[in-house]
Amino acid sequence: MTIKNPFTSRLLTAETSHEGDRATTLELFFDLVYVFAFTQVSGLMSAGHDGVAVLQGIVVLALIWWSWTSYTWLSNQAHADRGVVRLAILLAIALMFLVSLVIPEAYDDLATGLFAPMVFVVCLVAVRVVHAVAYVIAAGSDAGLRRQVILSMSAALLPASALLVIGALVGAPYQVWIWLVAIVLDLVLVYLTSRGGNWRINSIAHFSERHGLVVILALGESVVAIGIGVGAEPVSTSIIIGSVLAVALAIAMWWVYFHHFAPKTEELIARKTGVERTGIATDAYTYLHLSLVAGIVIAALGIEQAMHAIEGLHPLELFGAFALGGGVALYIAGTGFIWRRVSGEWALIRFGGATLCILLIPVLALAPAIVSLGVVAVIVGALVGAEQFFGSRAKIPTRAASPAE
């Protein structure tokens, strides 16, 4: 007779989530590692101070985003703080901290110590492997979901991991492009093997909350950027005014997402069922939310550059202007594309605000940094006000319409 170890049995089981379940404290703890990662990505782009550095940062951000969203799917399938999912998240926390730690050396290995690009890749791949194994177990008796996990992970993880290893070994200037191909291949293969497949969204409330929390974390990076930009400088009138403008911009960006957009997006998706709901949630949250996080991180870089130049009415210059205007534009446009996917409507005011931010980049580059901050803050604030005034927010009916209506 086989004697089962009750501790091992509990450890290797999972409790399926249900509609209405919310995020757990363990997931919030998991997210703290990504706060560090976002800061490291911003620092990587700032240190390079050119377009190549921004591209490198975006590639790293996409890689860590894919790991974050993978675990969000896992914890939506089964409770994060129980059984095998808890174990997987705890392992991922340690591994992702190592990933975040070596981000500054991901492309430029220092002379001493371990080969940082390979440390980055090995830890990142390990995070994905742990996720895949835990997901297969968490699928439980759901054979369709288990087949889906094995299909998507085997189709995408192996070739993408191989390209990441090759890129790390090849090094500059080809590394960033090889890693970019790995990301695109990974996303495309998962997308193609998932359309109409057997993925499950057990709780849309949980899924929406998790993505809202990561947006909050990224917005926190924009606030941190204010302090980084002037941390070593004595407080002055310019710093106070610039800080107020930067905080006002962060508040306006928060408003764009959380005041009406996030709850309405969740409600519209919640009205869908089955494969349709999973498909919309995948597009809106897994794929399009990357544009929001990337936009915030890039905008935070622009805020940092502006705060560096805040004294003496120095111009923001082109690098900072592209980061500030382009980052905010990407963020606003990202919300517009999400709304288009969820509701079928075009958020014209949002796309107009994003376009204006792009068109004004030359002006932002030439103007004093404090003026550039004010201009972008006014644009986002005006966007929020325009949506309120013109009532352009899409109306969600309080009940589903009957066929007769």
Side-chain angles (χ1 to χ4, degrees), residues 203-227:
S203 173
I204 192 61
H206 170 272
F207 211 60
S208 174
E209 183 180 21
R210 294 292 293 122
H211 287 82
L213 288 171
V214 82
V215 171
I216 279 286
L217 294 177
L219 285 171
E221 167 63 15
S222 67
V223 176
V224 171
I226 303 170

Side-chain angles (χ1 to χ4, degrees), residues 152-173:
S152 294
M153 294 300 102
S154 60
L157 182 56
L158 293 177
S161 299
L163 285 173
L164 291 177
V165 170
I166 292 170
L169 294 174
V170 169

